[in-house]
Amino acid sequence: MAGKTLTRADLAEAVVEKVGLPRNESQDLVERVLDEISGSLAEGDAVKLSSFGSFGIRQKGERVGRNPKTGEEVPITPRRVLVFRPSNIMKDRINKGHAKR
Amino acid sequence: MIKSELVQRIATANPHLYHRDVERIVNVIFDEIVDALSRGDRVELRGFGAFTVKHRASRQGRNPRTGTTVAVAEKFVPFFKTGKELRDRLNKLNGSKH
């Protein structure tokens, strides 16, 4: 699928244009937002952002995996994984956007 | 944490900004991500994760209650892949990195 890739810089640019803050401050704020979300998740607290979606944590137990190259069996340690559930608003906007193209 | 709590935390760390501006900043960031995805772009935030859109082809579905077949139209679904740094942070590996 063709398309550009946006990065932190593009999000900061949107803050510059739409809120009118200086570029370096906008960059700091974008970073801060991502950091607050990461920090909350690292503490095991889910993050719910209305009209965007929610980030949740799921605990995975130990299971047996296999090294795909050697075929060797290796244990996969229990771990916490992040799951993102998009909101219906986000899903609708993405489907409408693609229908127009 | 919900959005208003996120806004509150950012506002506390930036006392020179108006609360309503912090709210706008947070909304602008997430709107920009959704806008990008609806254009077919992807959003890659190193260390945090990447948002992409996956295509689901149309298919014959089945109503599980009645068993009748129904046509399911093609759709585009947002997908998030966790970044390496955040994944490690969730499992407290950040301190052991050399």
Side-chain angles (χ1 to χ4, degrees):
Chain A
M1 197 190 281
K4 289 191 306 174
T5 297
L6 272 77
T7 61
R8 281 175 170 74
D10 298 290
L11 299 184
E13 200 53 39
V15 174
V16 171
E17 279 169 28
K18 292 180 181 158
V19 189
L21 291 176
R23 184 158 291 116
N24 58 348
E25 194 177 357
S26 301
Q27 286 164 352
D28 288 349
L29 284 160
V30 168
E31 202 53 52
R32 183 94 203 186
V33 166
L34 298 178
D35 213 57
E36 288 289 353
I37 296 173
S38 307
S40 176
L41 293 167
E43 281 166 28
D45 185 20
V47 178
K48 292 180 183 176
L49 304 164
S50 64
S51 82
F52 187 75
S54 56
F55 297 91
I57 305 282
R58 217 166 273 171
Q59 182 71 47
K60 299 276 188 181
E62 189 182 67
R63 64 191 168 93
V64 180
R66 205 176 274 279
N67 181 331
K69 200 175 280 178
T70 63
E72 191 188 350
E73 276 190 5
V74 282
I76 295 176
T77 53
R79 61 192 62 213
R80 292 197 295 174
V81 295
L82 177 54
V83 283
F84 174 68
R85 278 205 59 198
S87 70
N88 286 327
I89 295 176
M90 182 180 195
K91 286 195 269 187
D92 285 351
R93 276 178 65 187
I94 287 170
N95 267 307
K96 288 211 183 81
H98 281 82
K100 265 187 274 165
R101 298 189 319 148
Chain B
M1 178 168 74
I2 60 172
K3 202 199 271 179
S4 58
E5 292 166 333
L6 172 63
V7 169
Q8 189 53 56
R9 288 184 199 190
I10 308 283
T12 309
N14 295 273
H16 63 290
L17 294 175
Y18 287 113
H19 195 279
R20 60 160 190 277
D21 282 341
V22 178
E23 219 170 87
R24 275 187 68 205
I25 292 158
V26 169
N27 284 330
V28 162
I29 293 171
F30 293 112
D31 270 357
E32 196 64 20
I33 295 174
V34 181
D35 277 351
L37 296 175
S38 14
R39 286 194 302 267
D41 294 344
R42 59 195 291 274
V43 181
E44 185 179 311
L45 305 165
R46 281 283 159 87
F48 184 78
F51 294 93
T52 51
V53 174
K54 290 192 171 182
H55 176 245
R56 297 274 177 266
S58 62
R59 61 185 169 88
Q60 287 299 323
R62 209 172 266 279
N63 181 330
R65 190 172 299 178
T66 63
T68 51
T69 57
V70 283
V72 180
E74 67 159 358
K75 60 183 169 187
F76 293 88
V77 292
F79 178 76
F80 177 74
K81 182 168 191 271
T82 315
K84 201 172 188 328
E85 213 173 284
L86 179 52
R87 216 186 318 141
D88 288 348
R89 223 173 137 179
L90 291 178
N91 292 290
K92 310 261 189 276
L93 296 174
N94 43 338
S96 58
K97 251 192 283 179
H98 39 262

